[in-house]
Amino acid sequence: MTTFRVTPVDWLDESMRLRSSKGSVTGPLPIVLLCSACIVIGLLWDISWHSTIGRDTFWSPPHLLEQLGAVVAGLSCGWLVLRTTFRGSREARNASVRFWGFSGPLGAWVIIWGTFVMVASAPFDNWWHNAYGLDVKIVSPPHMVLALGMIAIEIGAMLMALAAQNRAWDLDEIHSLGWAYAIAGGVLVTMVATVVTEYASRPNQMHSPLFYQVAGGVFPVFLAAFARSGRLRLPATTAAGIYMLIVLTMIWILQLAPAHPKLAPIYNPVTHMVPPHFPLLLIVPALGLDLLIGRRRARGTWGRTLLAGLVFIALLLAVQWFFGEFLLSPHARNLFFGADQWPYFIQLGPWQYRFWGVPVTASGQLNVHVIAGGLGIAALTAMASVRLGVWCGNGMSRVMR
């Protein structure tokens, strides 16, 4: 009679080996999160600088803050890769990704790549202005290269926090790393909102179908991913709240700083820094996503995710349509809301208190059919965005390297 003996040679599976590394590959995480926040703060400051003073040299304070944040983040992750490769424990290497013979967390590699892109964008931007003149638009080739590097660094910071959160077992550690992940997510949402600010930020745009189409296509994918992969009670809502806090803080601080335009033509002689627009009330539709497709819910079905996209647009429409009217009213022209503050190169007029891009009939009345059709497209876009976000979030919940 044959007998079999089971010898537990390696009873830890891959997941357990990764979890056993604890925080051995997350040493620079606080530094990386701080640098990520500095980058997006520098970007908001830079836009305000351009709107108030005009284009300055590369050595302006906002530019230096952005590049300093990128360099420090890149160097911190480079040190982490070298330490893990040559001095790291077996557990640390198990929780790393190998590339060209070096080992490091996936987020660290993304940050290193983003740092190179950001640094390379500086001479590109300078050459662009020398060749084609000054510009004040966010969407231009050098600015998009810069934004790509910034987003890469912020995604890298988010991935580092995500992997550490997913490896954690201790409840206190899970909670603290869940907050780190939410902070990284809030910074990323701030960056995305800044990139699309020309299409979905001004209160004048909040009666236009295009506003909801852009917002419905861009934001749900990130917020749905946070809702599925975050370990906090309401991760998407928390990330949206952090986004609002960052922008509000910049509004309250910047408009108190005296500044004057230095680049002609000057149509609006401002005397203080022009702040960003009041943040979108994403916290409301984000709460709807948390409640419908959050981690504690059953795995998202097609029906649930499609409903979540529809709810996102409905809640966004409910809050932004009327809040846009408030922001155009005299009640919002104060230090708290910071409304009705325009760049120095804008010729002011009655148009600044009207809604833009609103479909009207030949008689000047609202074209309800066109608006309804545009909002229908926004709802379909949001559904697709939520579905993509759920798919990404389900995959992100398993990231441990």
Side-chain angles (χ1 to χ4, degrees):
M1 181 177 179
T2 304
T3 60
F4 296 92
R5 181 182 178 186
V6 178
T7 304
V9 177
D10 188 8
W11 57 274
L12 288 176
D13 62 9
E14 182 69 11
S15 175
M16 292 291 291
R17 288 200 301 271
L18 291 175
R19 289 183 186 275
S20 67
S21 65
K22 293 184 181 294
S24 57
V25 292
T26 59
L29 181 57
I31 297 175
V32 166
L33 289 176
L34 178 61
C35 291
S36 177
C38 286
I39 288 172
V40 78
I41 289 171
L43 176 62
L44 292 172
W45 188 9
D46 189 29
I47 294 173
S48 177
W49 193 280
H50 281 247
S51 300
T52 308
I53 298 172
R55 186 178 185 271
D56 211 335
T57 67
F58 170 77
W59 307 105
S60 64
H63 290 171
L64 294 179
L65 181 61
E66 293 169 5
Q67 295 294 337
L68 179 63
V71 170
V72 172
L75 291 177
S76 299
C77 290
W79 169 82
L80 177 61
V81 167
L82 293 176
R83 189 192 70 174
T84 304
T85 302
F86 297 107
R87 301 284 303 258
S89 63
R90 179 185 176 186
E91 291 79 11
R93 288 193 291 271
N94 284 337
S96 300
V97 175
R98 289 187 64 81
F99 181 70
W100 284 355
F102 294 91
S103 297
L106 175 61
W109 289 116
V110 176
I111 289 172
I112 291 171
W113 181 83
T115 298
F116 281 116
V117 173
M118 276 194 65
V119 172
S121 72
F124 180 33
D125 185 53
N126 195 56
W127 170 84
W128 180 271
H129 288 296
N130 290 336
Y132 298 103
L134 303 178
D135 71 82
V136 292
K137 289 185 175 295
I138 295 176
V139 180
S140 68
H143 292 169
M144 289 300 98
V145 173
L146 177 64
L148 183 62
M150 290 178 169
I151 291 175
I153 291 176
E154 285 150 12
I155 289 177
M158 183 191 70
L159 288 173
M160 287 184 68
L162 173 66
Q165 169 202 259
N166 292 346
R167 290 194 303 268
W169 277 32
D170 181 76
L171 291 179
D172 291 336
E173 189 180 11
I174 290 174
H175 184 74
S176 60
L177 290 172
W179 268 102
Y181 179 48
I183 291 171
V187 171
L188 180 59
V189 171
T190 307
M191 180 68 205
V192 172
T194 304
V195 171
V196 300
T197 190
E198 293 183 359
Y199 308 99
S201 70
R202 299 179 184 275
N204 309 77
Q205 300 166 318
M206 293 179 185
H207 282 191
S208 167
L210 180 61
F211 173 91
Y212 298 96
Q213 292 167 6
V214 173
V218 170
F219 295 112
V221 63
F222 296 98
L223 295 174
F226 300 151
R228 293 299 300 175
S229 57
R231 295 292 185 89
L232 297 180
R233 184 177 179 83
L234 299 170
T237 308
T238 305
I242 291 169
Y243 147 70
M244 291 191 66
L245 180 62
I246 292 173
V247 178
L248 285 173
T249 302
M250 294 300 293
I251 291 174
W252 297 334
I253 292 176
L254 285 175
Q255 61 185 332
L256 300 179
H260 300 276
K262 295 182 179 179
L263 185 66
I266 301 172
Y267 298 114
N268 178 30
V270 298
T271 58
H272 291 77
M273 296 292 288
V274 178
H277 303 292
F278 198 89
L280 303 181
L281 303 179
L282 291 178
I283 196 169
V284 177
L287 178 60
L289 294 183
D290 274 327
L291 296 178
L292 281 172
I293 59 171
R295 185 185 183 93
R296 290 177 172 81
R297 299 289 178 180
R299 294 187 69 84
T301 63
W302 275 94
R304 186 183 292 272
T305 54
L306 294 180
L307 176 62
L310 182 61
V311 168
F312 182 92
I313 286 296
L315 292 176
L316 185 68
L317 177 66
V319 293
Q320 294 294 163
W321 185 278
F322 300 103
F323 192 61
E325 296 178 353
F326 170 78
L327 290 177
L328 292 183
S329 72
H331 303 292
R333 298 167 199 167
N334 50 55
L335 292 178
F336 183 85
F337 293 101
D340 196 30
Q341 300 192 54
W342 299 84
Y344 73 90
F345 47 80
I346 296 295
Q347 299 186 50
L348 303 182
W351 55 267
Q352 66 194 85
Y353 305 115
R354 299 170 183 164
F355 288 104
W356 308 336
V358 181
V360 295
T361 62
S363 60
Q365 301 296 319
L366 285 178
N367 195 324
V368 178
H369 297 291
V370 175
I371 293 177
L375 293 177
I377 295 174
L380 292 174
T381 304
M383 291 176 186
S385 185
V386 169
R387 183 60 199 173
L388 178 60
V390 168
W391 178 76
C392 292
N394 290 337
M396 290 163 63
S397 63
R398 297 188 294 270
V399 171
M400 292 189 181
R401 298 179 182 271

